[in-house]
Coordinates of all heavy atoms in Angstrom, one line a residue:
I1 N 0.8 -1.2 0.0 CA 0.0 0.0 0.0 C 0.9 1.3 0.0 O 0.7 2.2 -0.8 CB -1.0 0.0 1.3 CG1 -1.9 -1.2 1.2 CG2 -1.7 1.3 1.3 CD1 -2.6 -1.5 2.4
I2 N 1.9 1.2 0.9 CA 2.8 2.4 0.9 C 3.6 2.6 -0.3 O 3.8 3.7 -0.8 CB 3.6 2.3 2.3 CG1 2.7 2.4 3.5 CG2 4.7 3.4 2.3 CD1 3.3 2.0 4.8
Q3 N 4.2 1.5 -0.8 CA 4.9 1.5 -2.0 C 4.1 1.9 -3.2 O 4.6 2.6 -4.0 CB 5.6 0.2 -2.2 CG 6.8 -0.1 -1.2 CD 7.4 -1.5 -1.5 OE1 6.8 -2.4 -2.0 NE2 8.5 -1.6 -1.0
N4 N 2.8 1.5 -3.2 CA 1.9 1.8 -4.3 C 1.7 3.3 -4.4 O 1.4 3.8 -5.4 CB 0.7 1.1 -4.2 CG 0.8 -0.4 -4.5 OD1 1.8 -0.8 -5.1 ND2 -0.2 -1.2 -4.2
R5 N 1.8 3.9 -3.2 CA 1.7 5.5 -3.2 C 3.0 6.1 -3.3 O 3.1 7.3 -3.1 CB 1.0 5.8 -1.8 CG -0.5 5.5 -1.7 CD -1.4 6.0 -2.8 NE -1.4 7.3 -3.1 CZ -2.3 8.3 -2.6 NH1 -3.3 7.8 -1.9 NH2 -2.2 9.5 -2.8
E6 N 4.0 5.4 -3.7 CA 5.3 5.9 -4.0 C 6.0 6.6 -2.7 O 6.7 7.5 -2.8 CB 5.4 6.9 -5.2 CG 5.0 6.2 -6.5 CD 4.9 7.1 -7.6 OE1 5.0 8.4 -7.5 OE2 4.6 6.6 -8.7
Q7 N 5.7 5.9 -1.5 CA 6.4 6.4 -0.3 C 7.3 5.2 0.1 O 7.3 4.1 -0.4 CB 5.3 6.6 0.8 CG 4.1 7.6 0.3 CD 4.7 8.9 -0.2 OE1 5.4 9.6 0.4 NE2 4.2 9.3 -1.4
K8 N 8.1 5.5 1.2 CA 9.1 4.5 1.6 C 8.7 4.0 3.0 O 8.7 4.8 4.0 CB 10.5 5.1 1.6 CG 11.5 4.1 2.0 CD 12.9 4.7 1.7 CE 14.0 3.6 2.0 NZ 15.3 4.1 1.8
L9 N 8.5 2.7 3.2 CA 8.2 2.0 4.5 C 9.6 1.9 5.2 O 10.5 1.2 4.6 CB 7.5 0.7 4.3 CG 7.2 -0.1 5.6 CD1 6.3 0.7 6.4 CD2 6.7 -1.4 5.2
L10 N 9.7 2.4 6.4 CA 11.0 2.4 7.0 C 11.0 1.4 8.2 O 12.0 0.7 8.4 CB 11.3 3.7 7.7 CG 11.5 4.9 6.6 CD1 11.7 6.2 7.3 CD2 12.6 4.6 5.7
S11 N 9.8 1.2 8.9 CA 9.8 0.3 10.0 C 8.3 0.0 10.3 O 7.5 0.8 10.2 CB 10.4 0.9 11.2 OG 10.4 0.1 12.3
V12 N 8.0 -1.2 10.8 CA 6.7 -1.6 11.3 C 6.9 -2.3 12.7 O 7.8 -3.2 12.8 CB 6.0 -2.5 10.3 CG1 4.7 -3.1 10.9 CG2 5.8 -1.9 9.0
F13 N 6.1 -1.9 13.6 CA 6.1 -2.7 14.9 C 4.7 -2.9 15.2 O 3.8 -2.1 15.4 CB 6.8 -1.7 16.0 CG 6.8 -2.4 17.4 CD1 7.8 -3.4 17.6 CD2 5.9 -2.1 18.4 CE1 7.8 -4.0 18.8 CE2 6.0 -2.7 19.6 CZ 7.0 -3.7 19.8
A14 N 4.3 -4.2 15.2 CA 2.9 -4.7 15.3 C 2.7 -5.2 16.8 O 3.4 -6.0 17.3 CB 2.6 -5.8 14.3
M15 N 1.6 -4.8 17.3 CA 1.1 -5.3 18.6 C -0.2 -6.0 18.4 O -0.7 -5.9 17.3 CB 0.9 -4.0 19.6 CG 2.2 -3.2 19.9 SD 3.4 -4.2 20.7 CE 2.6 -4.4 22.3
P16 N -0.7 -6.7 19.4 CA -2.0 -7.5 19.2 C -3.1 -6.6 18.8 O -4.0 -7.0 18.1 CB -2.2 -8.1 20.5 CG -0.9 -8.2 21.2 CD -0.1 -7.0 20.7
D17 N -3.2 -5.3 19.2 CA -4.3 -4.5 19.0 C -4.0 -3.2 18.2 O -4.9 -2.3 18.1 CB -5.1 -4.2 20.3 CG -4.2 -3.4 21.3 OD1 -3.0 -3.3 21.1 OD2 -4.8 -2.9 22.2
H18 N -2.7 -3.0 17.9 CA -2.4 -1.8 17.1 C -1.0 -2.0 16.5 O -0.3 -2.9 16.7 CB -2.4 -0.5 18.0 CG -1.3 -0.5 19.0 ND1 -1.4 -1.1 20.2 CD2 -0.1 0.2 19.0 CE1 -0.3 -0.9 20.9 NE2 0.5 -0.1 20.2
A19 N -0.6 -1.0 15.6 CA 0.6 -1.1 14.9 C 1.3 0.3 14.9 O 0.6 1.3 14.8 CB 0.5 -1.6 13.5
H20 N 2.6 0.3 14.9 CA 3.4 1.5 14.7 C 4.0 1.4 13.3 O 4.6 0.4 13.0 CB 4.5 1.7 15.8 CG 3.8 1.8 17.1 ND1 3.6 3.0 17.8 CD2 3.5 0.9 18.0 CE1 3.1 2.8 18.9 NE2 3.0 1.5 19.1
I21 N 3.9 2.4 12.5 CA 4.4 2.4 11.1 C 5.3 3.7 10.9 O 4.7 4.8 11.2 CB 3.4 2.3 10.0 CG1 2.6 1.0 10.3 CG2 4.0 2.3 8.7 CD1 1.3 1.0 9.4
L22 N 6.5 3.5 10.5 CA 7.3 4.7 10.2 C 7.5 4.8 8.7 O 8.0 3.8 8.1 CB 8.7 4.6 10.9 CG 9.7 5.7 10.7 CD1 9.2 7.1 11.2 CD2 11.0 5.3 11.3
V23 N 7.1 5.9 8.1 CA 7.2 6.0 6.7 C 8.0 7.3 6.3 O 7.7 8.3 6.9 CB 5.7 6.1 6.2 CG1 5.7 6.4 4.7 CG2 4.9 4.9 6.5
G24 N 8.8 7.2 5.3 CA 9.4 8.3 4.6 C 8.5 8.8 3.6 O 8.1 8.1 2.7
M25 N 8.1 10.0 3.7 CA 7.0 10.6 2.8 C 7.6 11.7 1.9 O 8.2 12.5 2.4 CB 5.8 11.0 3.6 CG 5.1 9.9 4.3 SD 3.5 10.5 5.1 CE 2.6 11.1 3.6
K26 N 7.1 11.7 0.7 CA 7.3 12.8 -0.1 C 6.2 13.9 0.1 O 5.1 13.6 0.6 CB 7.2 12.4 -1.6 CG 8.1 11.3 -2.1 CD 7.9 10.9 -3.5 CE 8.9 9.8 -3.9 NZ 8.6 9.4 -5.3
P27 N 6.6 15.2 0.0 CA 5.6 16.2 0.3 C 4.4 16.3 -0.6 O 3.5 17.0 -0.2 CB 6.5 17.5 0.2 CG 7.7 17.1 -0.6 CD 7.9 15.7 -0.4
S28 N 4.4 15.5 -1.6 CA 3.3 15.5 -2.5 C 2.0 14.8 -2.0 O 0.9 15.0 -2.6 CB 3.7 15.0 -3.9 OG 4.1 13.6 -3.8
L29 N 2.2 14.0 -1.0 CA 1.1 13.3 -0.4 C 0.9 13.7 1.0 O 1.8 13.8 1.8 CB 1.4 11.8 -0.4 CG 0.4 10.8 0.1 CD1 -0.9 10.9 -0.7 CD2 0.9 9.4 0.1
S30 N -0.4 13.9 1.4 CA -0.7 14.3 2.8 C -0.7 13.0 3.7 O -1.0 11.9 3.2 CB -2.0 15.0 2.9 OG -3.1 14.1 2.7
V31 N -0.4 13.2 4.9 CA -0.4 12.2 5.9 C -1.8 11.6 6.0 O -2.0 10.3 6.1 CB 0.1 12.6 7.4 CG1 -0.1 11.5 8.4 CG2 1.5 13.1 7.3
S32 N -2.8 12.4 6.1 CA -4.2 11.9 6.2 C -4.6 11.0 5.0 O -5.3 10.0 5.1 CB -5.2 13.1 6.4 OG -5.1 14.0 5.3
D33 N -4.1 11.4 3.8 CA -4.4 10.5 2.6 C -3.8 9.2 2.7 O -4.4 8.2 2.4 CB -4.0 11.2 1.2 CG -4.9 12.4 0.9 OD1 -6.1 12.5 1.5 OD2 -4.6 13.2 0.1
L34 N -2.5 9.2 3.2 CA -1.8 7.9 3.3 C -2.4 7.0 4.3 O -2.6 5.8 4.1 CB -0.3 8.2 3.5 CG 0.5 6.8 3.7 CD1 0.5 6.0 2.4 CD2 1.9 7.2 4.0
V35 N -2.8 7.6 5.5 CA -3.4 6.9 6.5 C -4.8 6.3 6.0 O -5.1 5.1 6.3 CB -3.7 7.7 7.8 CG1 -4.6 7.0 8.8 CG2 -2.3 8.1 8.5
R36 N -5.5 7.0 5.3 CA -6.8 6.6 4.8 C -6.5 5.4 3.9 O -7.3 4.4 4.0 CB -7.5 7.7 4.0 CG -8.8 7.3 3.3 CD -9.1 8.2 2.2 NE -8.1 8.2 1.2 CZ -7.7 9.2 0.4 NH1 -8.3 10.4 0.7 NH2 -6.8 9.1 -0.5
D37 N -5.6 5.5 3.0 CA -5.2 4.4 2.0 C -4.7 3.1 2.8 O -5.1 1.9 2.4 CB -4.2 4.8 1.0 CG -4.8 5.9 0.1 OD1 -6.0 6.2 0.1 OD2 -4.0 6.5 -0.6
I38 N -3.9 3.3 3.8 CA -3.5 2.2 4.6 C -4.6 1.4 5.3 O -4.7 0.2 5.3 CB -2.4 2.6 5.7 CG1 -1.1 3.0 5.0 CG2 -2.1 1.5 6.6 CD1 -0.1 3.7 5.8
K39 N -5.5 2.2 5.9 CA -6.7 1.6 6.6 C -7.6 0.9 5.6 O -8.0 -0.2 5.8 CB -7.5 2.7 7.3 CG -6.8 3.2 8.6 CD -7.7 4.2 9.3 CE -7.2 4.5 10.7 NZ -8.1 5.4 11.4
A40 N -7.9 1.6 4.5 CA -8.8 0.9 3.5 C -8.1 -0.3 2.8 O -8.8 -1.4 2.7 CB -9.1 2.0 2.4
G41 N -6.9 -0.2 2.5 CA -6.2 -1.3 1.8 C -6.0 -2.5 2.7 O -6.1 -3.7 2.3
S42 N -5.5 -2.2 4.0 CA -5.3 -3.4 4.9 C -6.7 -4.0 5.3 O -6.8 -5.2 5.5 CB -4.5 -2.9 6.0 OG -5.2 -1.9 6.8
S43 N -7.7 -3.2 5.4 CA -9.1 -3.8 5.7 C -9.5 -4.7 4.6 O -10.0 -5.8 4.9 CB -10.1 -2.7 5.9 OG -9.8 -1.9 7.0
K44 N -9.3 -4.3 3.4 CA -9.6 -5.1 2.2 C -8.9 -6.4 2.2 O -9.4 -7.5 2.0 CB -9.5 -4.3 0.9 CG -10.0 -5.1 -0.3 CD -9.9 -4.3 -1.5 CE -10.3 -5.1 -2.8 NZ -10.6 -6.4 -2.8
F45 N -7.6 -6.3 2.4 CA -6.7 -7.5 2.4 C -7.2 -8.5 3.5 O -7.2 -9.6 3.2 CB -5.2 -7.0 2.6 CG -4.3 -8.2 2.6 CD1 -3.8 -8.7 1.4 CD2 -3.9 -8.8 3.8 CE1 -2.9 -9.8 1.4 CE2 -3.1 -9.9 3.8 CZ -2.5 -10.3 2.6
I46 N -7.4 -8.0 4.7 CA -7.8 -8.9 5.8 C -9.1 -9.5 5.5 O -9.3 -10.7 5.7 CB -7.8 -8.0 7.1 CG1 -6.4 -7.7 7.6 CG2 -8.5 -8.8 8.2 CD1 -6.2 -6.6 8.6
S47 N -10.0 -8.8 5.0 CA -11.4 -9.3 4.6 C -11.2 -10.3 3.5 O -11.9 -11.4 3.6 CB -12.3 -8.2 4.2 OG -13.5 -8.7 3.8
D48 N -10.5 -10.0 2.4 CA -10.4 -10.9 1.3 C -9.7 -12.2 1.7 O -10.0 -13.2 1.0 CB -9.6 -10.2 0.1 CG -10.3 -9.1 -0.5 OD1 -11.6 -8.9 -0.2 OD2 -9.7 -8.4 -1.3
H49 N -8.9 -12.2 2.6 CA -8.2 -13.4 3.0 C -8.7 -14.1 4.3 O -8.1 -15.0 4.8 CB -6.7 -13.1 3.2 CG -6.0 -12.8 1.9 ND1 -6.0 -11.4 1.3 CD2 -5.4 -13.6 0.9 CE1 -5.4 -11.6 0.2 NE2 -5.0 -12.8 -0.1
N50 N -9.8 -13.6 4.8 CA -10.5 -14.1 5.9 C -9.5 -14.3 7.1 O -9.5 -15.4 7.7 CB -11.2 -15.5 5.6 CG -12.3 -15.3 4.5 OD1 -13.1 -14.4 4.7 ND2 -12.3 -16.1 3.5
L51 N -8.8 -13.2 7.4 CA -7.8 -13.3 8.5 C -8.4 -13.1 9.9 O -7.7 -13.3 10.9 CB -6.7 -12.4 8.2 CG -5.9 -12.6 6.8 CD1 -4.8 -11.6 6.7 CD2 -5.3 -14.0 7.0
L52 N -9.6 -12.6 10.0 CA -10.3 -12.3 11.2 C -11.6 -13.0 11.2 O -12.3 -13.0 10.2 CB -10.4 -10.8 11.5 CG -9.2 -10.0 11.8 CD1 -9.6 -8.5 12.0 CD2 -8.5 -10.5 13.1
Q53 N -12.0 -13.4 12.5 CA -13.5 -13.8 12.6 C -14.2 -12.5 12.9 O -13.8 -11.7 13.8 CB -13.6 -14.8 13.7 CG -13.0 -16.1 13.4 CD -13.2 -17.1 14.6 OE1 -13.5 -16.7 15.7 NE2 -12.9 -18.3 14.3
G54 N -15.2 -12.1 12.3 CA -15.9 -10.9 12.4 C -15.3 -9.8 11.5 O -14.6 -10.1 10.7
K55 N -15.7 -8.6 11.9 CA -15.3 -7.5 11.1 C -14.2 -6.6 11.7 O -14.3 -6.4 12.9 CB -16.5 -6.6 10.8 CG -16.2 -5.4 9.9 CD -17.5 -4.7 9.6 CE -17.1 -3.5 8.6 NZ -18.3 -2.7 8.3
L56 N -13.2 -6.2 11.0 CA -12.2 -5.3 11.5 C -12.7 -4.0 11.8 O -13.5 -3.4 11.0 CB -11.0 -5.2 10.5 CG -9.9 -4.3 10.7 CD1 -9.1 -4.7 12.0 CD2 -9.0 -4.0 9.5
A57 N -12.4 -3.4 13.0 CA -12.8 -2.0 13.3 C -11.7 -1.2 13.6 O -10.9 -1.4 14.4 CB -13.7 -2.1 14.5
W58 N -11.5 -0.1 12.8 CA -10.4 0.9 13.0 C -10.9 1.9 14.1 O -12.0 2.3 14.1 CB -10.1 1.6 11.8 CG -9.3 0.7 10.8 CD1 -9.8 0.1 9.7 CD2 -7.9 0.5 10.8 NE1 -8.8 -0.5 9.0 CE2 -7.6 -0.3 9.8 CE3 -6.8 0.9 11.7 CZ2 -6.3 -0.8 9.5 CZ3 -5.6 0.4 11.5 CH2 -5.3 -0.4 10.3
Q59 N -10.0 2.3 14.9 CA -10.3 3.4 15.8 C -10.4 4.7 15.1 O -9.8 4.8 14.0 CB -9.3 3.6 17.0 CG -7.9 4.1 16.6 CD -7.0 4.3 17.7 OE1 -7.1 3.4 18.7 NE2 -6.2 5.3 17.7
E60 N -11.1 5.7 15.6 CA -11.0 7.1 14.9 C -9.8 7.7 15.2 O -9.1 7.6 16.2 CB -12.2 7.9 15.6 CG -13.6 7.4 15.2 CD -14.0 7.6 13.8 OE1 -13.5 8.6 13.2 OE2 -14.6 6.7 13.3
G61 N -9.3 8.4 14.1 CA -8.1 9.2 14.2 C -6.9 8.4 14.1 O -6.8 7.2 14.0
W62 N -5.7 9.2 14.4 CA -4.4 8.5 14.4 C -3.5 9.6 15.0 O -3.8 10.7 15.3 CB -3.9 8.2 13.0 CG -4.4 9.2 11.9 CD1 -5.6 9.3 11.3 CD2 -3.6 10.4 11.5 NE1 -5.6 10.4 10.4 CE2 -4.4 11.0 10.5 CE3 -2.3 10.8 11.8 CZ2 -3.9 12.2 9.9 CZ3 -1.9 12.0 11.1 CH2 -2.8 12.7 10.2
R63 N -2.2 9.1 15.3 CA -1.2 10.0 15.9 C 0.1 9.9 15.1 O 0.4 8.9 14.6 CB -1.0 9.6 17.4 CG -2.2 9.7 18.3 CD -1.9 9.2 19.6 NE -1.2 10.2 20.4 CZ -1.6 11.3 21.0 NH1 -2.8 11.6 20.9 NH2 -0.8 12.0 21.7
F64 N 0.8 11.1 15.1 CA 2.2 11.0 14.5 C 3.0 12.0 15.2 O 2.6 13.1 15.6 CB 2.1 11.3 13.0 CG 1.6 12.6 12.7 CD1 2.5 13.7 12.4 CD2 0.2 12.9 12.6 CE1 2.0 14.9 12.1 CE2 -0.3 14.2 12.3 CZ 0.6 15.1 12.0
P65 N 4.3 11.6 15.4 CA 5.3 12.6 16.0 C 5.9 13.5 15.0 O 6.3 13.1 13.9 CB 6.3 11.7 16.7 CG 6.3 10.5 15.8 CD 4.9 10.3 15.3
I66 N 6.2 14.8 15.4 CA 6.9 15.7 14.5 C 7.9 16.4 15.4 O 7.6 17.1 16.3 CB 6.0 16.7 13.8 CG1 5.1 16.0 12.8 CG2 6.8 17.7 13.1 CD1 4.2 17.0 12.2
R67 N 9.2 16.2 15.1 CA 10.3 16.9 15.9 C 10.1 16.9 17.3 O 10.1 18.0 18.0 CB 10.5 18.3 15.3 CG 11.0 18.2 13.9 CD 11.3 19.7 13.4 NE 11.6 19.6 11.9 CZ 11.8 20.6 11.3 NH1 11.7 21.9 11.8 NH2 12.1 20.5 9.9
G68 N 9.8 15.8 17.9 CA 9.6 15.7 19.4 C 8.2 16.0 19.9 O 7.9 15.7 21.0
A69 N 7.3 16.6 19.1 CA 6.0 16.8 19.5 C 5.1 15.7 19.1 O 5.4 15.0 18.2 CB 5.5 18.1 18.8
N70 N 4.0 15.5 19.8 CA 3.1 14.4 19.5 C 1.8 15.0 19.1 O 1.1 15.6 19.9 CB 3.0 13.4 20.7 CG 2.4 12.1 20.2 OD1 2.2 11.8 19.1 ND2 2.0 11.3 21.2
W71 N 1.4 14.9 17.8 CA 0.2 15.5 17.4 C -0.9 14.4 17.2 O -0.7 13.4 16.7 CB 0.4 16.2 16.0 CG 1.4 17.3 16.1 CD1 2.8 17.2 16.0 CD2 1.1 18.6 16.3 NE1 3.4 18.3 16.2 CE2 2.4 19.3 16.3 CE3 0.0 19.4 16.5 CZ2 2.5 20.6 16.5 CZ3 0.1 20.7 16.6 CH2 1.4 21.4 16.7
A72 N -2.1 14.7 17.6 CA -3.2 13.8 17.4 C -4.2 14.4 16.4 O -4.4 15.5 16.3 CB -4.0 13.6 18.8
M73 N -4.7 13.5 15.6 CA -5.7 13.9 14.5 C -6.9 13.1 14.7 O -6.9 12.0 15.1 CB -5.1 13.7 13.1 CG -3.8 14.4 12.8 SD -4.0 16.2 12.9 CE -4.7 16.5 11.4

């Protein structure tokens, strides 16, 4: 998903109920557009491959650090 948007995946840390993803981004794409695409694409992949019983539910919003600050969206 990230490579398809011509961005660079740097690191992934997965927990049972959430994931941390570090992405090198070009300024031509907004963070919110990339997060939307990651959520939509991963939901489709999980559904298409029957990887969960029931339906995947994403929490509202997301967080990202910028130069030591922590911003919530």
Side-chain angles (χ1 to χ4, degrees):
I1 298 165
I2 293 168
Q3 289 177 339
N4 288 345
R5 292 302 306 259
E6 299 179 354
Q7 309 306 309
K8 185 173 184 179
L9 178 63
L10 301 174
S11 179
V12 175
F13 184 72
M15 299 298 293
D17 63 346
H18 69 280
H20 298 266
I21 302 171
L22 180 63
V23 178
M25 293 186 61
K26 297 177 182 177
S28 58
L29 180 65
S30 72
V31 174
S32 59
D33 285 346
L34 183 60
V35 170
R36 179 201 62 219
D37 294 348
I38 291 170
K39 286 183 171 184
S42 59
S43 294
K44 181 174 179 359
F45 179 87
I46 289 167
S47 177
D48 289 350
H49 292 87
N50 297 313
L51 298 177
L52 289 178
Q53 293 178 348
K55 186 177 179 181
L56 174 67
W58 285 101
Q59 73 179 34
E60 290 293 321
W62 40 272
R63 299 179 72 81
F64 64 96
I66 295 181
R67 295 185 186 174
N70 197 9
W71 298 86
M73 299 301 281

